[in-house]
């Protein structure tokens, strides 16, 4: 908090829903009061303001996996879906369990390290199976834990040829025309923008 308070910025941006939750809800109790945004909200704002103009089509059926700390804990379901809705060629569908009924990927609960007893099914595998049943070619995520867990499940289930896992920011980048990618990647953030 001391380090953050020593800096000048308008928005504290995070791609991690766990960090988003802690910075937004727990840091204020200790004097860390910031405008905290998850990158899905920020990216949507950039798209709506016309600062990002995706035009490269990515024809693929996509589902969004709701991260626990973004969805059920913070109630933010719409921004990631709105981002995906603005990408040319992306056909958005929903998994059987979505929004407030979404399953956890298992990463936030330590399932990276847990061994399951015989017969138990890994939740990340169940989630990828739900995506496959929804016809998904891409599972869009907004959390690095979810990305790792779901990507691992895609490999475990031998679906690498038919299903990919990508963060929404990566999907936006792929949809930008080449002449827009270089300036965005090279431009340093100013104090007003950071």
């Amino acid at each position: 908090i001391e380090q953050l308070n020593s800096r000048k910025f308008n928005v504290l941006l995070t791609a991690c829903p766990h960090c988003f939750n802690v910075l937004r809800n727990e840091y204020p109790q200790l004097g860390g009061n910031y405008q905290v945004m998850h990158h899905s909200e920020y990216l949507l704002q950039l798209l709506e303001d016309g600062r990002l103009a995706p035009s490269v089509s990515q024809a693929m059926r996509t589902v969004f996996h709701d991260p626990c700390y973004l969805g059920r804990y913070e109630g933010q379901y719409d921004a990631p879906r709105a981002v995906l809705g603005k990408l040319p060629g992306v056909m958005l569908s929903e998994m059987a369990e979505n929004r407030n009924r979404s399953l956890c990927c298992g990463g936030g609960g330590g399932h990276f390290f847990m061994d399951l007893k015989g017969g138990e099914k890994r939740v990340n595998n169940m989630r990828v199976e739900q995506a496959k049943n929804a016809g998904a070619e891409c599972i869009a995520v907004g959390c690095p834990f979810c990305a790792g867990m779901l990507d691992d499940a895609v490999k475990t289930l031998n679906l690498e040829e038919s299903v990919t896992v990508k963060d929404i920011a990566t999907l936006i980048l792929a949809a930008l025309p080449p002449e827009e990618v270089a300036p965005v990647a090279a431009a340093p953030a100013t104090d007003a923008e950071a």
Side-chain angles (χ1 to χ4, degrees):
I1 290 172
E2 284 178 16
Q3 288 296 316
L4 288 171
N5 287 344
S6 71
R7 306 272 187 191
K8 285 181 80 172
F9 59 89
N10 295 328
V11 173
L12 186 53
L13 184 64
T14 178
C16 172
H18 299 82
C19 296
F20 175 69
N21 179 62
V22 169
L23 292 165
R24 185 174 179 182
N25 298 317
E26 296 178 21
Y27 272 43
Q29 299 169 40
L30 304 169
N33 297 294
Y34 316 110
Q35 180 186 349
V36 182
M37 289 181 85
H38 183 259
H39 76 309
S40 62
E41 298 172 285
Y42 189 72
L43 291 168
L44 179 59
Q45 192 175 56
L46 293 176
L47 290 164
E48 289 178 340
D49 292 348
R51 293 177 66 193
L52 292 175
S55 61
V56 178
S57 182
Q58 303 172 78
M60 66 182 140
R61 183 157 307 281
T62 304
V63 294
F64 181 73
H65 166 76
D66 293 285
C68 297
Y69 275 94
L70 187 64
R72 288 195 305 272
Y73 282 79
E74 294 293 333
Q76 295 198 22
Y77 303 105
D78 297 330
R81 287 171 173 82
V83 165
L84 294 169
K86 293 187 178 296
L87 301 179
V90 170
M91 298 162 281
L92 189 59
S93 6
E94 293 286 353
M95 289 186 264
E97 295 178 270
N98 60 72
R99 296 183 177 260
N100 66 334
R101 294 183 56 242
S102 181
L103 292 179
C104 174
C105 73
H111 282 241
F112 282 121
F113 311 107
M114 292 177 69
D115 288 326
L116 298 178
K117 295 180 171 91
E120 289 183 312
K121 201 171 207 181
R122 291 197 170 278
V123 69
N124 57 333
N125 292 351
M126 290 174 15
R127 200 66 177 140
V128 168
E129 288 170 355
Q130 284 186 355
K132 188 70 175 155
N133 290 341
E137 298 165 280
C138 176
I139 303 170
V141 296
C143 171
F145 292 102
C146 296
M149 292 299 288
L150 296 174
D151 191 53
D152 184 54
V154 165
K155 291 173 184 167
T156 299
L157 297 171
N158 296 314
L159 295 173
E160 295 112 318
E161 298 296 319
S162 59
V163 179
T164 61
V165 178
K166 295 185 179 182
D167 189 277
I168 58 172
T170 303
L171 291 168
I172 290 175
L173 185 62
L176 293 176
E179 62 273 10
E180 279 192 48
V181 173
V184 169
T190 65
D191 282 344
E193 294 175 324

